[in-house]
Amino acid sequence: GNGKIFYTSFTSLSHMSKWGGELVEFPYTSNETLATISQSLESRVGMPETRRQWLQYKLKSGELTRVMEAHDGLSALLVERTKVGPPGKEDVYDGLWISSLCDSTVKGKPDTELVDLTARPQTVSQILDVTTKPIVFDMDTGGMLEHFVYNIATIEKAGVSAVIIEDKTGLKRNSLFGTSVEQHQESIDNFCEKIRAGKSVIRSGNFMLIARIESLILKQGLEDAMARATAYVEAGADGIMIHSKETSPQEVFAFCDQFRSVDPVTPIVAVPTTYCSVTEEELLAHGVNMVVYANQLLRASYPMMEKTARSILEHHRALESEDMCMSIKHILSLIETP
């Protein structure tokens, strides 16, 4: 009645000015009751279906969805809490990537699907327990068709928001080896059959199955990548990941531009590991919806651990390594005690 309204995320300041309204901001307060409400809301936000809905919303928003690798509960907490920028306008990560490479590496195993899909849900569980963001799961090839339908159902029930399967067959070798090792691409017909089989057992309307195309990795060219992308979407894929091991993003841009000319809707996922100079703004301008930073946290942690281990051996004490380590007080404060 006095021309004042309460501001919510659904009301823009521009609309309020048209109505003659006034923005009213109340000072923040904190007490036990509010803390309980906050914890309750956070627990709901962290439910699997809520994470899936948020990922779907973000991908349709027109903004870039930024996903960072996490390989355990602690790295996931880091991704969850990291913010850069002024309050209310912070850059944050929108989701978590569980990489087969990182999942294998932290277990001291080669990235050849040796750590199978009966073991990897343990990582999912650890990360779900301490985060609220959507999880995008690197499912490698997904296994044989007969196993795949069981595997994808298991991963869906584990709480993941989206899976990405690659169109290779035979012994899995990391894509960044490219053609320097023997790798085989699955036929379009066989991979489409796998997509259809996977979609048939998915129960959540928000759970996404994204197809990863290896044509550029295996030097099969843009035409092959486009033929596969079109067929995979027709088979039911909810998104397309285009992979490249070039240091320039140009072949990824070429694919995105051509794919967008025929399909303006299906989400495109890019993984700028080797072409890391590309900016998020450039990817968005070429129609990319999601960027995955697939292994940076693990790659950053190992050199510092190695340096610390060498320092202790060289000096026969830990003093010289202290500057390389987080304080005990800080590490204890990372984990909130109920």
Side-chain angles (χ1 to χ4, degrees):
N2 58 5
K4 297 182 179 181
I5 63 173
F6 296 111
Y7 175 71
T8 74
S9 60
F10 303 103
T11 307
S12 71
L13 291 173
S14 61
H15 285 135
M16 284 199 297
S17 64
K18 292 178 183 177
W19 302 334
E22 178 185 344
L23 174 64
V24 177
E25 294 186 279
F26 292 96
Y28 289 103
T29 186
S30 179
N31 57 47
E32 188 174 333
T33 301
L34 287 176
T36 301
I37 293 172
S38 177
Q39 289 172 3
S40 175
L41 288 173
E42 186 171 319
S43 67
R44 293 180 187 179
V45 169
M47 295 297 288
E49 207 57 32
T50 306
R51 299 186 198 225
R52 292 167 183 158
Q53 291 168 353
W54 166 248
L55 182 60
Q56 292 267 12
Y57 164 78
K58 184 68 178 180
L59 287 172
K60 294 174 183 177
S61 70
E63 300 176 357
L64 193 69
T65 302
R66 185 187 293 117
V67 177
M68 171 59 83
E69 169 262 320
H71 47 272
D72 57 18
L74 187 60
S75 59
L77 273 175
L78 178 65
V79 177
E80 178 95 358
R81 296 176 181 178
T82 299
K83 300 178 181 180
V84 176
K89 298 181 179 179
E90 301 101 331
D91 280 332
V92 299
Y93 292 106
D94 303 299
L96 301 134
W97 168 253
I98 298 184
S99 156
S100 64
L101 168 63
C102 296
D103 228 355
S104 301
T105 302
V106 295
K107 294 175 174 63
K109 305 290 186 181
D111 184 26
T112 57
E113 293 186 276
L114 183 61
V115 179
D116 65 26
L117 287 166
T118 61
R120 294 186 60 203
Q122 295 176 18
T123 306
V124 175
S125 179
Q126 291 172 7
I127 290 174
L128 278 172
D129 280 347
V130 296
T131 63
T132 61
K133 296 181 185 294
I135 292 175
V136 183
F137 188 85
D138 176 10
M139 205 172 176
D140 289 326
T141 66
M144 295 168 52
L145 178 61
E146 293 81 3
H147 298 170
F148 175 62
V149 289
Y150 291 99
N151 290 336
I152 197 167
T154 297
I155 295 301
E156 180 189 11
K157 286 185 284 189
V160 163
S161 298
V163 297
I164 297 182
I165 58 170
E166 60 189 77
D167 59 356
K168 288 194 295 196
T169 187
L171 176 65
K172 183 263 172 99
R173 303 298 297 273
N174 190 280
S175 293
L176 298 183
F177 282 123
T179 55
S180 65
V181 298
E182 187 175 2
Q183 302 194 64
H184 300 282
Q185 202 166 11
E186 183 62 274
S187 72
I188 293 177
D189 287 344
N190 286 349
F191 198 70
C192 285
E193 184 182 2
K194 180 175 278 189
I195 292 170
R196 286 190 290 267
K199 292 290 289 184
S200 72
V201 299
I202 291 172
R203 295 292 171 258
S204 167
N206 296 303
F207 183 82
M208 300 179 71
L209 193 166
I210 298 170
R212 169 172 153 179
I213 297 175
E214 297 288 290
S215 299
L216 303 182
I217 291 284
L218 299 176
K219 304 300 183 184
Q220 297 303 303
L222 180 58
E223 185 177 340
D224 183 76
M226 278 298 302
R228 288 174 178 274
T230 303
Y232 297 167
V233 172
E234 288 178 355
D238 299 301
I240 295 294
M241 175 190 277
I242 186 64
H243 207 13
S244 169
K245 66 182 291 292
E246 297 299 310
T247 56
S248 163
Q250 293 309 312
E251 66 175 9
V252 170
F253 289 166
F255 170 85
C256 293
D257 293 345
Q258 191 164 334
F259 183 70
R260 279 288 170 253
S261 71
V262 297
D263 186 335
V265 177
T266 302
I268 300 175
V269 183
V271 190
T273 301
T274 55
Y275 55 100
C276 54
S277 63
V278 72
T279 66
E280 293 173 355
E281 290 75 17
E282 289 172 319
L283 290 170
L284 186 61
H286 287 275
V288 172
N289 304 89
M290 180 191 295
V291 57
V292 176
Y293 297 102
N295 45 51
Q296 280 78 5
L297 292 187
L298 181 64
R299 287 165 50 211
S301 64
Y302 188 87
M304 193 56 71
M305 289 192 294
E306 183 180 40
K307 190 174 181 180
T308 301
R310 291 183 64 87
S311 174
I312 292 171
L313 279 180
E314 288 169 356
H315 297 96
H316 296 180
R317 65 178 185 177
L319 176 64
E320 288 75 12
S321 69
E322 281 299 297
D323 288 344
M324 296 181 271
C325 299
M326 180 186 292
S327 71
I328 293 296
K329 182 178 180 180
H330 190 178
I331 202 165
L332 290 174
S333 69
L334 287 175
I335 315 300
E336 298 176 0
T337 303

